[in-house]
Amino acid sequence: MYQLHLDKADFLSQYWQQQPTVIRQGFTNFVDPIEADELAGLAMEEEISSRLVFTEGDNWRIQQGPITDFSQLGEQNWQLLVQAVNHFAEQTHPFCDSFRFLPDWRFDDLMVSFAMPGGGVGPHIDNYDVFIIQGSGSRRWTVGPLGQYQQRNNDANSPLIEDFEPIIDTVLAPGDILYIPPGFPHRGFTLEPSMSYSMGFRAPSQQELLGELADYMLDNHLGQQRFVSKSETLPAAILSEQQQQGIMQLVADLAADPRQYQSVLGRLLSQSRFDLDINEMEPELTEDELDDAIADGATLQRIGGLKVLLLEHDNQLRLFANGDIFPLPQATPEQLSQLAEARCLSAEQLTLLCEQDAIKALLLSWINAGYYYLTE
Ligand code: SIN
Ligand code: CO
């Protein structure tokens, strides 16, 4: 139903992470995967990240969610934005899956917005890649070149920047897509009541990598090696360049050792930035109940936003999910990749996978943890 019409090889070589571009009718006959009313319902929930942005002349005022009252909003100059809608609205999954020509570890979330004429968040720069897909209605978008931009009104705390000279100035119709790589300034103007969908993709920063590396070392009592040298330099108060490099080499050694960094990357990149909609089974499902469900033809569905990753040439047979490590030493590479890749497992697939006790135990624990659920 959601088939992305795009020459992927051409897009990846010409535009991805390099240049913004407009993909006209990336989705033909586009149907909104969620209605504005349902979006408003999500924005009322405490655990869902949402905000209203009001355009007030040349200023933008933000009201953070949850949004409890929509009655005062009027017919123009506001926009509702809800993050991680894919975590809470199952019907958006086929739409999100049409972007799986990009790796799961990069996918951040599906942000959905509803805007009235004059609504928008103002000119800004994101540090992630975004595909903005126009749903019902239409919006005009401008995108500027990479560069140094002044923060709006010289306010260091403002998420907005001053106006910019556009290199793209276009109106999107339903099914059109605007792709913007990190760092390109952009601004949306709403022409008529509009649904738009932002598929966000991000990569970890050095700060996040080092934070996760440190956590991993602490959790596992690793990284105890210290700097040693056979000669010292004088005067006493000077730290020589050679010693500076030697000490920092300890960090570089960790970062170059797959036995250390694979666990760190798997843990970090299998986490979601936004809360997952996790409902633990209460009471817990038993193994016999799982057997019965599979015999009755049940399928197993992964909750939206849960990342299950497999690392190429990993030094252990294991999966990473939601920031944790799940060893599966007896599994075959095919079984591991099926478990990582499939968002939904049929009864036939489950029957085969569950022939192996360790896989069955893992799936049962994932169901009980609320990562997967059984459906008819
Ligand atoms: C918007 O829909 O106006 C916000 C999305 C974005 O600029 O990334
Ligand atoms: Co943006």
Side-chain angles (χ1 to χ4, degrees):
M1 177 171 172
Y2 288 98
Q3 204 192 337
L4 175 57
H5 301 287
L6 174 68
D7 180 336
K8 312 221 164 87
D10 179 64
F11 171 78
L12 288 169
S13 67
Q14 303 287 323
Y15 300 104
W16 173 244
Q17 302 232 288
Q18 301 160 60
Q19 284 298 325
T21 186
V22 177
I23 305 158
R24 291 276 171 225
Q25 290 303 285
F27 294 96
T28 44
N29 306 315
F30 186 80
V31 176
D32 285 298
I34 185 166
E35 299 292 325
D37 282 356
E38 200 182 341
L39 189 69
L42 294 179
M44 298 175 91
E45 303 283 341
E46 191 81 48
E47 71 273 21
I48 301 181
S49 170
S50 65
R51 64 196 195 277
L52 273 169
V53 182
F54 298 92
T55 313
E56 295 178 339
D58 207 21
N59 272 313
W60 288 264
R61 180 169 59 83
I62 300 175
Q63 178 189 333
Q64 295 293 349
I67 316 295
T68 48
D69 182 11
F70 289 91
S71 64
Q72 312 295 322
L73 292 177
E75 298 296 304
Q76 54 185 9
N77 296 334
W78 60 268
Q79 178 170 3
L80 170 69
L81 302 100
V82 184
Q83 298 287 160
V85 169
N86 56 309
H87 294 200
F88 300 95
E90 198 181 328
Q91 74 273 27
T92 61
H93 295 175
F95 179 40
C96 294
D97 283 352
S98 63
F99 286 85
R100 277 186 100 192
F101 71 101
L102 295 164
D104 290 345
W105 70 260
R106 282 187 176 275
F107 182 57
D108 198 19
D109 75 321
L110 167 66
M111 192 269 286
V112 183
S113 88
F114 174 75
M116 288 301 259
V121 302
H124 67 279
I125 294 176
D126 297 314
N127 55 17
Y128 51 82
D129 299 84
V130 64
F131 295 85
I132 297 170
I133 302 109
Q134 179 67 44
S136 55
S138 75
R139 300 179 81 198
R140 175 184 158 217
W141 285 90
T142 55
V143 184
L146 288 176
Q148 292 298 321
Y149 291 91
Q150 277 286 334
Q151 270 164 309
R152 197 121 191 136
N153 305 320
N154 273 323
D155 174 358
N157 295 320
S158 173
L160 302 181
I161 55 166
E162 291 294 350
D163 295 330
F164 53 83
E165 205 49 54
I167 51 172
I168 290 178
D169 185 341
T170 190
V171 173
L172 298 187
D176 288 344
I177 304 173
L178 171 62
Y179 163 70
I180 309 171
F184 285 77
H186 53 281
R187 178 173 178 180
F189 304 80
T190 311
L191 307 177
E192 51 184 283
S194 235
M195 292 290 288
S196 46
Y197 301 86
S198 300
M199 290 285 172
F201 291 82
R202 61 201 294 279
S205 66
Q206 290 165 313
Q207 211 176 69
E208 289 166 328
L209 286 164
L210 286 172
E212 188 65 41
L213 183 65
D215 285 348
Y216 182 74
M217 296 287 128
L218 288 168
D219 290 353
N220 296 282
H221 309 290
L222 295 169
Q224 305 291 344
Q225 206 178 318
R226 288 173 197 270
F227 174 66
V228 285
S229 67
K230 294 204 180 87
S231 65
E232 305 300 338
T233 54
L234 290 172
I238 304 294
L239 173 62
S240 73
E241 187 177 11
Q242 199 188 13
Q243 293 198 329
Q244 295 170 39
Q245 289 169 351
I247 292 169
M248 290 312 289
Q249 188 61 39
L250 292 175
V251 180
D253 288 347
L254 283 179
D257 179 357
R259 281 168 309 159
Q260 312 292 352
Y261 73 67
Q262 286 180 327
S263 299
V264 171
L265 288 178
R267 280 174 30 144
L268 178 65
L269 300 177
S270 65
Q271 290 167 35
S272 301
R273 199 158 61 94
F274 298 95
D275 285 350
L276 296 168
D277 189 19
I278 290 177
N279 292 298
E280 289 176 25
M281 286 288 279
E282 185 65 45
E284 290 204 343
L285 188 78
T286 64
E287 193 180 327
D288 287 347
E289 287 168 335
L290 176 60
D291 289 339
D292 289 347
I294 297 171
D296 287 348
T299 59
L300 191 62
Q301 200 76 36
R302 187 184 296 175
I303 59 166
L306 178 77
K307 295 189 193 197
V308 182
L309 298 182
L310 179 63
L311 266 58
E312 189 179 18
H313 298 146
D314 198 350
N315 67 89
Q316 294 174 46
L317 291 170
R318 58 184 171 175
L319 293 168
F320 297 88
N322 200 25
D324 281 325
I325 301 175
F326 297 91
L328 276 174
Q330 273 96 45
T332 64
E334 291 72 29
Q335 289 171 326
L336 287 175
S337 62
Q338 186 181 23
L339 288 166
E341 186 69 18
R343 301 219 200 251
C344 175
L345 290 163
S346 67
E348 293 73 36
Q349 290 170 319
L350 287 170
T351 306
L352 287 173
L353 285 167
C354 286
E355 281 172 8
Q356 201 175 106
D357 290 347
I359 295 181
K360 189 177 185 181
L362 177 70
L363 292 174
L364 187 61
S365 75
W366 278 354
I367 295 168
N368 284 319
Y371 289 180
Y372 281 77
Y373 53 94
L374 289 162
T375 56
E376 291 299 301

